[in-house]
Amino acid sequence: MILKREHFDEKQAQLYDVIVAGGGAGGLSAAVYLARYNLKVLVIEKGRGRSFWMQDLWNYVPRVVSGKELIEGGKEMALHYGADWLNGFVEEATDTGEEFHVRVKYRFKNSDYPVFRTKYLIAATGLIDVLPQLENMQNVYEYAGYNLHVCLICDGYEMTDRRAALIAGSEKAINTAFVLNWFTPYITVLTLGAYPVGDEMRAKLADHGYPLIEKPIARFLGKDHVMDGIEFADGASIKVDTGLISMGSLRHDGYLKNLGLLTDGGDIVTESDCRTSHPRVFALGDLKKGLNQVSIAVADGTLAATAIWKEIRRASAPRKWAAPLQEAAARAEESARPEIGLGAPRGG
Amino acid sequence: MILKREHFDEKQAQLYDVIVAGGGAGGLSAAVYLARYNLKVLVIEKGRGRSFWMQDLWNYVPRVVSGKELIEGGKEMALHYGADWLNGFVEEATDTGEEFHVRVKYRFKNSDYPVFRTKYLIAATGLIDVLPQLENMQNVYEYAGYNLHVCLICDGYEMTDRRAALIAGSEKAINTAFVLNWFTPYITVLTLGAYPVGDEMRAKLADHGYPLIEKPIARFLGKDHVMDGIEFADGASIKVDTGLISMGSLRHDGYLKNLGLLTDGGDIVTESDCRTSHPRVFALGDLKKGLNQVSIAVADGTLAATAIWKEIRRASAPRKWAAPLQEAAARAEESARPEIGLGAPRGG
């Protein structure tokens, strides 16, 4: 069910098996598995994450799917199987020893700050790509995720042999040109004039024939989500067929700061089942080390949910079939359809 | 393109970057990624694998998909991006040092035995579940994959609090009852009379209240893919709402035997990017250690394809932008649309 204010008292009183912070590809997959393991799960989603901005996803079998379809479809599945859902922002997770207290900001205005309790925590809040900050951000959103890409692995194919602008957020990020050139050599590198470029990098770019333009962007040119050029602050412009933004990303991981999770270059270090250095905290998808791909996040959700289920199951008393029920079943053999009250499903 | 006899001469003469043995969830994901990395890839699929038999898949976000939709949709994607496809049975893969020779049986009658060459080999042939062998196998196929399940992780939820028959292929497999009881305690264990059951297991089943029936199955009862009972060879019958077949599975891995891959309990041992103990052989999904889930196989395809692309890319000369093209582009700045012959895409 989707939680509203009127549910907070009841839901704060209970102990969830798992709270999933983040309702993107990884969090949704975890939620669907957990709900189908008949566990009590709450997904907390702030909205407008990377999946939300993603246009069509071309590499996730069996068919092209948009980011919105992915998150809406996954949410529908999770709710169908009994997961709880809260639209809110996870502010802080506190480890009390036996459980976590997860404080959520609910609504931007007239906010509530409910605290939900859980045995396990799954961090699936992902990251958000840094975009060029233009005066008119609508101009950026018009093209970002269409033919102004943010993920080389996802969309390099779409840039094959096209004239591509590489918008690099730092001198180090310019090195993306030397991976992008697997797909196309027609690369123009843009620094936005935001940082100096050393002689060695200049020489390497010159050797490869990739022009370097070091001035602010005024706006992207084009229409109907098809960018076909870039205009600079000085009024000059270039024509391009596509672009790649390589300006890094911001992790949504502030709520984890008190848990002291082991990281490597900012990425959360995990075991093969997505368990972090804290035995009851799992991290999925873009927050952890490894490829930032929808398929990986979805598998991560499977792995974390299954590992958690296994632990909870092993710690639970086995369910036995009480004799009266067996006898009732035996008696019913002769009749058309036995009437055994099986009770409500665990998860229901 | 789908390869036919008339293509064999041309295709045997070339060197593929990757041959993917198996066109299920993992192989298709690998093929889509590889094709989108503009690599030359051939998928070889024998047909009627586990995905083919799978009915609806309830746990793969963002929506319910059938096995057939999965393999048909994925195949369409792979072909769209330029993968080659061959309907055939991989008989043997031989390592010649620099490349693999992959011998395929094409067509059951009037067979051809083409040998294709590749730098890398992806083993994605998966496994097939062992089913009860009844006189009338159509009776088994009528229900298997519907409410007569083969995967507890996938379908335990569907069995929640239902009367379930556990068809165990060995005494060891009876232990599945003590996992299935997470979902339902109303379990009847069937051995088909195929093996003896020791006193310890009998006592454990009795303690849990799970009846044990040790005689051959004559047929499954029900209609329209809904099993509602089981009739035994002696004419007795029981009523059940669902069933789980736990009789093990057969791996499709005979063609790998000469490669000496490291295995553990039959599963191929892999690194985190699905690389086997052979540096140019990768194994995906059900063939490798770990969970046998579609989401895992799909991620495995992503990982293996990306690792292979990285190696091939790093071993390739960088593509530079020749000066004449840059000048042409500069000249074209003034005109509406530059006319630069960019040549055919690599993968096309």
Side-chain angles (χ1 to χ4, degrees):
Chain A
M1 65 187 292
I2 294 178
L3 302 194
K4 303 289 183 191
R5 275 202 173 95
E6 62 263 34
H7 307 116
F8 288 176
D9 283 349
E10 175 200 343
K11 295 295 181 176
Q12 289 182 91
Q14 71 168 44
L15 177 63
Y16 281 102
D17 290 308
V18 188
I19 286 181
V20 181
L28 289 168
S29 176
V32 168
Y33 270 85
L34 290 164
R36 287 179 59 85
Y37 290 141
N38 291 330
L39 294 172
K40 281 196 192 115
V41 56
L42 168 63
V43 181
I44 304 170
E45 165 61 20
K46 65 160 184 34
R48 305 173 81 82
R50 201 186 200 201
S51 309
F52 175 84
W53 291 105
M54 191 170 63
Q55 299 306 318
D56 287 333
L57 181 66
W58 304 98
N59 56 15
Y60 184 60
V61 295
R63 68 175 72 80
V64 177
V65 63
S66 73
K68 280 188 195 177
E69 287 175 290
L70 183 73
I71 57 184
E72 284 169 10
K75 178 179 175 180
E76 195 181 313
M77 288 174 82
L79 287 169
H80 175 76
Y81 294 121
D84 281 344
W85 184 278
L86 179 64
N87 294 312
F89 180 80
V90 178
E91 291 209 320
E92 190 164 30
T94 308
D95 182 6
T96 69
E98 285 294 295
E99 54 188 68
F100 297 99
H101 291 177
V102 177
R103 192 168 71 121
V104 180
K105 178 173 180 171
Y106 180 70
R107 307 235 162 183
F108 279 104
K109 294 181 180 178
N110 297 320
S111 303
D112 272 1
Y113 294 89
V115 176
F116 299 96
R117 301 160 51 216
T118 183
K119 296 179 197 167
Y120 289 83
L121 178 65
I122 292 182
T125 36
L127 50 78
I128 196 86
D129 302 289
V130 177
L131 299 179
Q133 296 301 301
L134 304 191
E135 203 167 292
N136 175 13
M137 284 307 290
Q138 278 311 315
N139 174 254
V140 180
Y141 300 141
E142 173 75 12
Y143 305 111
Y146 292 89
N147 71 332
L148 178 57
H149 303 286
V150 293
C151 172
L152 180 55
I153 283 186
C154 315
D155 299 315
Y157 179 84
E158 312 300 329
M159 298 192 260
T160 299
D161 288 328
R162 292 177 184 271
R163 292 170 305 178
L166 173 67
I167 302 172
S170 66
E171 180 171 344
K172 191 179 166 196
I174 294 177
N175 284 302
T176 303
F178 310 112
V179 181
L180 175 57
N181 68 357
W182 172 262
F183 296 101
T184 180
Y186 312 117
I187 300 169
T188 299
V189 175
L190 312 185
T191 69
L192 313 178
Y195 50 88
V197 177
D199 290 342
E200 196 177 338
M201 181 61 83
R202 286 178 189 282
K204 191 169 178 185
L205 288 172
D207 173 60
H208 283 72
Y210 306 156
L212 176 68
I213 298 179
E214 302 177 82
K215 49 194 179 188
I217 291 176
R219 62 191 180 109
F220 295 98
L221 306 172
K223 63 176 181 178
D224 298 338
H225 303 301
V226 180
M227 178 196 66
D228 59 12
I230 297 175
E231 185 180 302
F232 297 95
D234 64 1
S237 67
I238 57 169
K239 290 190 180 297
V240 291
D241 306 308
T242 186
L244 177 66
I245 297 170
S246 179
M247 298 181 68
S249 49
L250 299 174
R251 288 183 193 85
H252 293 303
D253 59 2
Y255 62 100
L256 297 169
K257 62 181 182 297
N258 292 333
L259 300 180
L261 304 180
L262 190 66
T263 59
D264 179 5
D267 290 328
I268 298 175
V269 175
T270 55
E271 296 172 36
S272 60
D273 60 0
C274 297
R275 195 185 306 255
T276 69
S277 54
H278 188 301
R280 287 178 296 111
V281 180
F282 291 72
L284 313 184
D286 296 356
L287 275 189
K288 73 182 228 302
K289 282 186 73 78
L291 295 178
N292 294 348
Q293 292 285 291
V294 163
S295 60
I296 302 292
V298 170
D300 285 351
T302 300
L303 291 166
T306 304
I308 291 170
W309 170 55
K310 192 172 174 182
E311 280 188 359
I312 291 178
R313 176 167 54 76
R314 289 186 172 178
S316 304
R319 298 178 73 196
K320 298 181 178 185
W321 192 353
L325 279 172
Q326 275 194 49
E327 285 157 19
R331 276 199 308 277
E333 285 280 318
E334 278 89 76
S335 71
R337 183 85 185 175
E339 299 290 339
I340 309 177
L342 299 180
R346 274 187 199 216
Chain B
M1 66 188 292
I2 295 178
L3 303 193
K4 303 290 184 189
R5 275 204 174 92
E6 62 262 35
H7 306 117
F8 287 176
D9 282 351
E10 175 199 342
K11 296 293 181 176
Q12 289 182 93
Q14 71 167 44
L15 178 62
Y16 281 102
D17 289 309
V18 189
I19 287 180
V20 181
L28 289 169
S29 176
V32 167
Y33 270 85
L34 290 164
R36 287 180 59 86
Y37 291 142
N38 291 330
L39 294 172
K40 280 197 193 113
V41 56
L42 168 64
V43 181
I44 305 170
E45 165 61 22
K46 66 162 185 30
R48 305 172 80 81
R50 201 184 198 201
S51 309
F52 175 84
W53 290 105
M54 193 169 63
Q55 298 307 317
D56 287 333
L57 181 65
W58 304 98
N59 56 15
Y60 183 60
V61 296
R63 69 175 70 81
V64 177
V65 64
S66 72
K68 279 188 196 178
E69 287 175 290
L70 182 75
I71 56 184
E72 283 169 11
K75 177 179 175 179
E76 195 181 314
M77 288 174 81
L79 287 169
H80 175 76
Y81 294 121
D84 282 344
W85 184 279
L86 178 65
N87 294 312
F89 179 80
V90 177
E91 291 210 319
E92 191 164 29
T94 308
D95 182 7
T96 68
E98 286 294 296
E99 55 189 68
F100 298 98
H101 291 177
V102 177
R103 193 168 68 122
V104 180
K105 178 172 179 172
Y106 179 71
R107 307 234 161 187
F108 280 104
K109 292 182 180 177
N110 297 319
S111 305
D112 272 1
Y113 294 89
V115 176
F116 299 96
R117 300 162 50 218
T118 184
K119 295 179 196 167
Y120 289 83
L121 177 65
I122 292 181
T125 35
L127 49 77
I128 196 86
D129 302 289
V130 176
L131 299 178
Q133 296 300 302
L134 305 190
E135 203 168 291
N136 174 14
M137 284 306 291
Q138 278 311 315
N139 174 254
V140 180
Y141 300 141
E142 173 74 12
Y143 304 109
Y146 293 89
N147 71 332
L148 179 56
H149 303 286
V150 292
C151 173
L152 180 55
I153 284 186
C154 315
D155 298 314
Y157 179 84
E158 312 300 328
M159 296 191 261
T160 298
D161 288 327
R162 293 178 183 270
R163 293 170 305 177
L166 173 66
I167 302 172
S170 65
E171 180 172 343
K172 191 178 167 195
I174 293 176
N175 284 300
T176 302
F178 310 112
V179 182
L180 175 58
N181 68 358
W182 173 261
F183 297 101
T184 181
Y186 312 118
I187 299 169
T188 300
V189 175
L190 313 185
T191 67
L192 312 179
Y195 50 88
V197 177
D199 290 342
E200 196 177 338
M201 180 61 83
R202 285 177 190 281
K204 189 169 180 185
L205 288 172
D207 174 60
H208 283 72
Y210 307 157
L212 176 68
I213 299 180
E214 303 177 80
K215 50 195 180 188
I217 291 176
R219 63 193 179 106
F220 295 98
L221 306 172
K223 64 177 182 179
D224 297 338
H225 303 301
V226 180
M227 178 195 65
D228 60 12
I230 298 175
E231 185 180 301
F232 297 94
D234 63 2
S237 67
I238 58 170
K239 290 191 179 297
V240 291
D241 307 308
T242 184
L244 177 66
I245 297 170
S246 180
M247 297 182 69
S249 49
L250 300 174
R251 289 184 192 83
H252 292 304
D253 58 1
Y255 61 99
L256 297 169
K257 62 182 184 296
N258 292 332
L259 300 179
L261 304 180
L262 190 65
T263 59
D264 179 4
D267 291 328
I268 298 175
V269 175
T270 55
E271 296 172 37
S272 60
D273 61 0
C274 298
R275 196 185 306 256
T276 69
S277 55
H278 188 301
R280 288 178 296 110
V281 180
F282 290 71
L284 312 184
D286 296 356
L287 274 189
K288 73 182 226 305
K289 281 185 76 74
L291 295 178
N292 294 348
Q293 291 287 289
V294 163
S295 60
I296 303 291
V298 170
D300 286 350
T302 300
L303 291 166
T306 305
I308 291 170
W309 170 54
K310 191 173 175 183
E311 280 189 1
I312 291 178
R313 175 167 54 76
R314 290 186 172 179
S316 303
R319 297 179 72 196
K320 297 182 178 184
W321 191 352
L325 280 173
Q326 276 195 49
E327 287 158 17
R331 277 199 307 278
E333 286 280 319
E334 279 89 74
S335 70
R337 181 88 186 173
E339 299 290 340
I340 308 178
L342 298 180
R346 276 192 197 215

